[in-house]
Amino acid sequence: MASTTPSYLKIKELEPFFDAAAKGTAPALAVLAESLNNAPSKAPQWVAYTRNTWCEKVEKIFAGLQGNSDFSPEQHALLMAMLNVGLDSDDLSKLYLQLIKVDFPKLDNPRALLDALGRNDTNTSRHVVANRLRLYSEITTGITCWDVTNGFGKILAFDETTGEVKLNQGDKDRLVKLAAFLKDEAVVPADSAMDKFLKKEHITFSGENDLFTEAKKGFIYARDLGDNFIKNLLVPEFYSADEYKKLYAEEEIKAAEAAKQAASRWDASRSLLELENRLEPPKKTKGSKAAKQELPAAPAASAVLDLPDINWDNITKILSRDVDRLKQSYIKGEHTELTVRWANVVALLCKEPTICEKLTGILKDLLGQEIAKNEFIKDADSIIAKCLTAFASVTDSLPGKQVLPWMQLVKTLVGEKFLIDGTMLMPFRLWAHTEQLLTSKEERKHFQERVCQDFKNGIPTADHYEWLWKNYCLNATKRKRFLAEQKIADEAILTTEKLKAYLNDAEKRNAFQAFMKMTDSEVKEYLNDMAKREDILADSSLLFRTLHQDLKGNYLKSQRDLHKLLKDDPEFQKALMKQGDSKAISNLVVCVKRLSLLDPSEKTSVLVKIVRLYPEAREIVEENASATVQETLDRISSIHSILRLQEDLKTLVEKTIPANTAAIEEARSRGDLSENSEYKYAKEQQRQLNQRRSQMERDLNTCRPIDFADQDVKDRIIPGTVVTLALQDGKQKVVTLLGLFDTDTEKGWFSYASPMGRVLLSNKVDDTVVLPAGDEATIVKIEKLSDELLEFFRK
């Protein structure tokens, strides 16, 4: 992972560190030193502005220290970094001389050493300057030295005044200038393993202390001594050419094996696909697509994540390769192979906490700091919606074990709100992961408010209802357990109002609070929450409208569960009727009888159960006067809608169903149908398409086309009329009542079989009706369709 220390080029980001360092702050001095140590080139090669600014800033830092040799460790480290990189000015040269005197107090000519180090030579890298200084510190009489031309020798003397080193090499003495010595020579530290080997003392080289490692590690040199360094060092004085060749071959074999092991590590992957394969090998089945992919052999078990010295540069490179395409896919709301694979890889990595922490930093850099501020999706509500859609779809596609770490990462990167909003678009089975990640009371409250807001806006899904019912039941169960312990009849206080009345007794309230572990304010919030959920569940029209949604894939489970609750669960039915509220009972009965969600046998079964639960509902169930007009109506729809339905049926039969058949065959060819999600989805879609085809054929066979021109509009509402309603808030609403397939709510067009149509049908001017949303309205005008609409519905 890239260092978080600002680059030496980013002067503005370094400003606060310069200021703090001038005050002697140790961490700031360390940051500046690291920034210089990370510089790829020497200062003479920098842009003049950057070089001059650095010189000015560090001169201020050390302004009060000139003439004073007492450097702190952090100041010493910064001065060494400055020296190595070649920052120079008159004042800085004085500081370097001061530094040299501190490190080498016996040195007579520190300026000569600075020149020999090559501090200002652009051809001498900053690393070579540092190595030369280390080499200089090892110059001692009697120490072994070596160079390519003359071989081994000894340092006989070092004249610091003249800057000359006296050597004995090749059976002759020679004088070498200090600059030439630091450039060409290498030394072997006394008493090192390599020094003992050269003295022919008994040394056994094995493991990490093998001969080759010690030869490289035991020599101190300022420059690259070439590829044949080891050979020139050992042949012929210590080994013959054949002996060395045999030793070196063994070393090459070891190196090759080490390279092979390194290449098999997950952090050595070359692509996102290879990285995914190494982190989680795919299950290969006969004929499966995964089996045909030519990938490097993956480990038998899941890869061990916690490797030493993880190659974060390579991981960053892999993840960044497609990051622009990834962003665009989210902005467009696309679910692609890339979005799923990318999410799967980062989720697999995030299973290890230490790796997750580093990876999060990498992703913040890759995706840009704007993602942390939600600016990644700031342009428009439509873009936000598309990003949320893509996020929900990708999350739904991940293996179960990867969902939680993936969601945690998204929460960290984008925030709690994005996670919650995205969850509202996911199947219910994933909601528990989000709730697990919302650790604070405030976050959980936001989640609950978000669910209730969707109900308030009239846009819940079956998954919303499943969450609501699960939490409603848990609350009810907890209340019942408390009541049982207190030996109080359950039925006495199942509603919020009855519970409020019970809690008016101070002794009972204290017992309730102790059991639920709530404060007074939490009890109040709890009761309000109960009341909200009771009101939501009592809205039968919203429930039936939600169950009419056309869904597919994983979203079908919650819809089926909700449908089953409506038909079979007495506790759910009680909740729909608000534990016996007459208005709620009436709303449920009307929805069951008049809406097409349930087949005739199911309607009869539910109505019978309603009467069993609340015998007072019998009169409402048996009342059928309001449905008389509807039952005698022909099945009619406009010519325009009939033609459109015929065209839709043609497209379904000739294009959509054949495409689905081909998809089933393609999915079947991949083998292992028990784990083939694409096959399962295609088969589910096939059932839906066949059901839709049968329904469309029945509708066309039983529905009569009409142009509404001959409709006799008098004083009562019939199909083909425009109705003006006066609402309670003083506003007016215009509704056009039409045929079975003519609904367009945005234009105010409603089928006579819709909830709105059933409410209005057969009523007359001045009648008051209750609209499906629960508002009362008065009918103020009934008119024929305009000529323009009549013409439209003829085509």
Side-chain angles (χ1 to χ4, degrees):
M1 178 175 162
S3 172
T4 56
T5 301
S7 166
Y8 74 102
L9 295 168
K10 297 183 178 180
I11 302 298
K12 288 187 178 180
E13 291 186 24
L14 290 168
E15 283 286 358
F17 297 103
F18 284 124
D19 294 341
K23 299 175 182 178
T25 305
L29 289 163
V31 168
L32 295 176
E34 184 178 355
S35 180
L36 289 177
N37 289 332
N38 291 335
S41 61
K42 295 193 70 177
Q45 297 171 309
W46 295 358
V47 175
Y49 167 78
T50 303
R51 183 174 61 252
N52 295 337
T53 302
W54 264 96
C55 288
E56 291 172 6
K57 297 291 185 183
V58 294
E59 284 173 2
K60 290 181 180 179
I61 292 173
F62 291 99
L65 294 174
Q66 291 185 11
N68 180 359
S69 61
D70 188 16
F71 297 119
S72 71
E74 292 78 17
Q75 289 169 335
H76 187 283
L78 177 57
L79 278 170
M80 288 301 301
M82 291 158 51
L83 176 61
N84 292 343
V85 86
L87 280 174
D88 206 4
S89 69
D90 290 341
D91 288 340
L92 294 184
S93 291
K94 295 176 183 177
L95 281 169
Y96 296 147
L97 290 172
Q98 216 172 299
L99 177 69
I100 295 299
K101 289 178 181 178
V102 170
D103 287 352
F104 307 102
K106 296 181 180 181
L107 182 63
D108 293 331
N109 190 359
R111 191 175 298 279
L113 175 58
L114 287 176
D115 293 338
L117 293 176
R119 54 175 175 153
N120 294 322
D121 182 2
T122 56
N123 294 322
T124 304
S125 74
R126 50 183 299 282
H127 302 292
V128 169
V129 173
N131 286 338
R132 285 179 180 176
L133 191 59
R134 180 177 172 225
L135 183 60
Y136 175 81
S137 67
E138 294 289 342
I139 298 177
T140 307
T141 300
I143 199 168
T144 301
C145 60
W146 180 89
D147 66 49
V148 175
T149 304
N150 301 289
F152 286 102
K154 295 284 184 181
I155 296 178
L156 301 178
F158 174 35
D159 189 337
E160 296 185 0
T161 303
T162 61
E164 292 179 328
V165 184
K166 187 176 181 180
L167 309 175
N168 178 270
Q169 286 177 306
D171 295 327
K172 63 180 180 180
D173 295 345
R174 49 194 292 257
L175 286 177
V176 179
K177 290 290 185 182
L178 178 60
F181 181 92
L182 296 180
K183 178 181 179 183
D184 298 326
E185 296 290 332
V187 298
V188 181
D191 296 326
S192 67
M194 196 63 203
D195 182 51
K196 293 178 181 179
F197 176 78
L198 295 176
K199 292 176 180 176
K200 312 230 174 164
E201 297 179 11
H202 179 70
I203 299 291
T204 302
F205 294 100
S206 62
E208 293 184 357
N209 293 320
D210 63 68
L211 173 63
F212 298 93
T213 301
E214 288 302 325
K216 294 176 182 178
K217 189 170 65 174
F219 270 70
I220 299 173
Y221 48 91
R223 66 182 180 88
D224 184 4
L225 296 176
D227 295 335
N228 292 322
F229 163 56
I230 301 293
K231 183 176 181 180
N232 293 335
L233 180 69
L234 301 178
V235 177
E237 187 168 350
F238 295 95
Y239 294 103
S240 68
D242 289 341
E243 288 173 331
Y244 175 78
K245 186 177 181 180
K246 182 180 178 182
L247 284 171
Y248 198 71
E250 292 175 355
E251 180 65 15
E252 283 185 325
I253 292 172
K254 291 179 183 179
E257 290 177 350
K260 185 177 179 181
Q261 290 180 354
S264 66
R265 290 165 42 132
W266 61 263
D267 62 343
S269 301
R270 294 161 295 179
S271 67
L272 193 66
L273 178 61
E274 186 176 333
L275 179 57
E276 182 183 44
N277 184 52
R278 286 179 170 178
L279 291 171
E280 185 182 53
K283 294 180 180 179
K284 297 185 178 181
T285 56
K286 185 177 180 181
S288 70
K289 187 175 181 181
K292 299 175 184 177
Q293 293 174 336
E294 296 182 1
L295 297 172
S302 296
V304 178
L305 290 176
D306 195 12
L307 296 174
D309 303 322
I310 293 174
N311 188 349
W312 284 110
D313 288 339
N314 185 50
I315 300 303
T316 303
K317 181 180 178 182
I318 291 172
L319 294 177
S320 63
R321 195 170 292 153
D322 298 309
V323 75
D324 289 334
R325 281 202 302 136
L326 182 78
K327 286 184 181 180
Q328 289 304 312
S329 294
Y330 271 88
I331 290 174
K332 294 176 182 178
E334 295 176 343
H335 172 124
T336 64
E337 184 179 1
L338 170 64
T339 57
V340 176
R341 176 166 290 125
W342 206 87
N344 192 41
V345 166
V346 297
L348 285 165
L349 291 173
C350 281
K351 289 183 177 180
E352 172 62 42
T354 56
I355 291 179
C356 182
E357 182 179 353
K358 293 181 180 179
L359 181 65
T360 302
I362 289 175
L363 295 180
K364 284 182 178 179
D365 291 338
L366 289 182
L367 299 175
Q369 293 300 321
E370 66 272 15
I371 196 170
K373 306 172 187 175
N374 271 359
E375 293 180 2
F376 171 45
I377 50 172
K378 70 179 181 179
D379 295 335
D381 289 343
S382 60
I383 293 180
I384 295 176
K386 288 177 181 177
C387 288
L388 290 169
T389 299
F391 166 58
S393 180
V394 167
T395 306
D396 187 27
S397 301
L398 290 177
K401 294 180 180 179
Q402 271 75 276
V403 171
L404 189 63
W406 163 244
M407 284 184 160
Q408 175 65 72
L409 181 65
V410 169
K411 182 189 175 189
T412 303
L413 290 175
V414 193
E416 160 220 337
K417 184 178 185 302
F418 186 88
L419 174 63
I420 292 175
D421 289 344
T423 303
M424 298 300 102
L425 304 176
M426 297 178 192
F428 175 68
R429 65 181 176 82
L430 301 176
W431 289 34
H433 295 290
T434 299
E435 291 184 286
Q436 183 177 340
L437 294 173
L438 301 177
T439 53
S440 71
K441 182 180 179 181
E442 193 68 21
E443 287 178 338
R444 292 191 293 272
K445 183 179 179 181
H446 290 164
F447 184 85
Q448 295 171 8
E449 289 174 346
R450 180 66 174 79
V451 177
C452 292
Q453 186 61 45
D454 280 354
F455 278 105
K456 184 178 179 180
N457 294 338
I459 54 170
T461 64
D463 304 284
H464 284 66
Y465 271 101
E466 191 160 359
W467 177 89
L468 183 71
W469 180 238
K470 175 186 174 184
N471 285 272
Y472 179 90
C473 283
L474 287 174
N475 285 337
T477 302
K478 202 168 186 178
R479 293 201 307 270
K480 287 183 179 181
R481 190 168 72 248
F482 167 73
L483 296 172
E485 289 182 10
Q486 298 297 314
K487 298 181 180 179
I488 302 168
D490 290 356
E491 293 296 327
I493 58 165
L494 280 179
T495 67
T496 304
E497 292 304 319
K498 290 178 179 178
L499 183 55
K500 285 180 180 179
Y502 171 83
L503 295 178
N504 283 335
D505 185 316
E507 183 177 346
K508 294 177 180 177
R509 183 183 183 88
N510 291 337
F512 180 81
Q513 286 184 247
F515 178 80
M516 300 291 281
K517 298 179 181 179
M518 290 181 177
T519 63
D520 283 337
S521 61
E522 287 172 336
V523 169
K524 184 178 180 181
E525 185 177 348
Y526 173 79
L527 291 171
N528 289 337
D529 186 49
M530 279 180 55
K532 285 180 184 177
R533 295 179 187 184
E534 288 177 351
D535 290 341
I536 289 171
L537 285 171
D539 188 347
S540 297
S541 298
L542 182 60
L543 171 68
F544 275 67
R545 189 161 68 244
T546 302
L547 283 171
H548 267 293
Q549 292 174 352
D550 186 17
L551 302 176
K552 61 183 179 182
N554 292 330
Y555 297 89
L556 287 169
K557 184 180 184 306
S558 289
Q559 190 179 60
R560 289 169 180 161
D561 291 344
L562 184 59
H563 197 105
K564 183 174 177 59
L565 284 172
L566 171 63
K567 293 188 300 178
D568 302 328
D569 193 313
E571 289 299 323
F572 186 73
Q573 292 163 353
K574 286 180 183 179
L576 294 181
M577 293 180 284
K578 211 171 183 179
Q579 311 300 332
D581 180 85
S582 58
K583 185 176 180 180
I585 293 173
S586 178
N587 287 340
L588 178 59
V589 171
V590 169
C591 288
V592 171
K593 292 175 64 176
R594 296 184 176 180
L595 301 183
S596 59
L597 176 68
L598 305 173
D599 62 36
S601 63
E602 290 174 335
K603 288 185 178 182
T604 301
S605 174
V606 172
L607 292 173
V608 168
K609 290 173 182 175
I610 291 173
V611 174
R612 286 177 181 170
L613 290 172
Y614 300 107
E616 62 269 26
R618 181 180 297 277
E619 183 178 348
I620 303 173
V621 170
E622 293 178 349
E623 188 272 330
N624 58 9
S626 61
T628 303
V629 175
Q630 171 59 37
E631 291 170 356
T632 60
L633 279 173
D634 290 334
R635 288 172 58 82
I636 59 174
S637 194
S638 68
I639 298 172
H640 172 84
S641 295
I642 293 292
L643 293 174
R644 185 190 63 210
L645 189 61
Q646 289 172 344
E647 190 63 31
D648 290 345
L649 178 60
K650 182 179 178 181
T651 301
L652 182 69
V653 173
E654 296 180 359
K655 295 182 179 180
T656 309
I657 290 179
N660 171 254
T661 302
I664 290 175
E665 293 305 315
E666 168 65 19
R668 182 182 284 118
S669 68
R670 297 175 184 175
D672 195 4
L673 300 183
S674 64
E675 296 188 7
N676 192 330
S677 60
E678 293 180 357
Y679 176 77
K680 293 178 181 178
Y681 169 68
K683 289 295 290 182
E684 182 64 42
Q685 190 181 41
Q686 182 186 55
R687 286 190 288 272
Q688 294 177 9
L689 293 175
N690 288 334
Q691 291 174 358
R692 185 179 174 194
R693 175 179 179 176
S694 299
Q695 184 62 49
M696 292 172 75
E697 288 174 344
R698 283 197 301 270
D699 289 339
L700 288 171
N701 290 332
T702 60
C703 192
R704 177 170 62 87
I706 186 173
D707 63 3
F708 299 113
D710 297 329
Q711 290 293 85
D712 187 13
V713 179
K714 293 182 180 178
D715 60 342
R716 287 188 179 273
I717 300 173
I718 62 173
T721 55
V722 179
V723 183
T724 302
L725 302 171
L727 305 179
Q728 288 179 310
D729 59 6
K731 297 180 180 179
Q732 288 194 340
K733 180 181 181 71
V734 178
V735 174
T736 303
L737 202 65
L738 298 166
L740 277 176
F741 311 121
D742 299 319
T743 297
D744 188 335
T745 54
E746 291 186 1
K747 296 179 180 178
W749 300 352
F750 293 89
S751 162
Y752 64 81
S754 68
M756 178 68 80
R758 290 182 179 275
V759 167
L760 297 178
L761 204 61
S762 80
N763 284 288
K764 56 186 179 179
V765 174
D766 295 333
D767 282 353
T768 298
V769 294
V770 179
L771 301 181
D775 301 326
E776 287 191 355
T778 301
I779 300 169
V780 297
K781 188 186 296 185
I782 300 173
E783 303 173 280
K784 291 184 177 182
L785 299 181
S786 66
D787 292 340
E788 290 80 5
L789 278 180
L790 290 173
E791 183 63 24
F792 174 82
F793 287 122
R794 289 193 184 101
K795 299 178 181 179

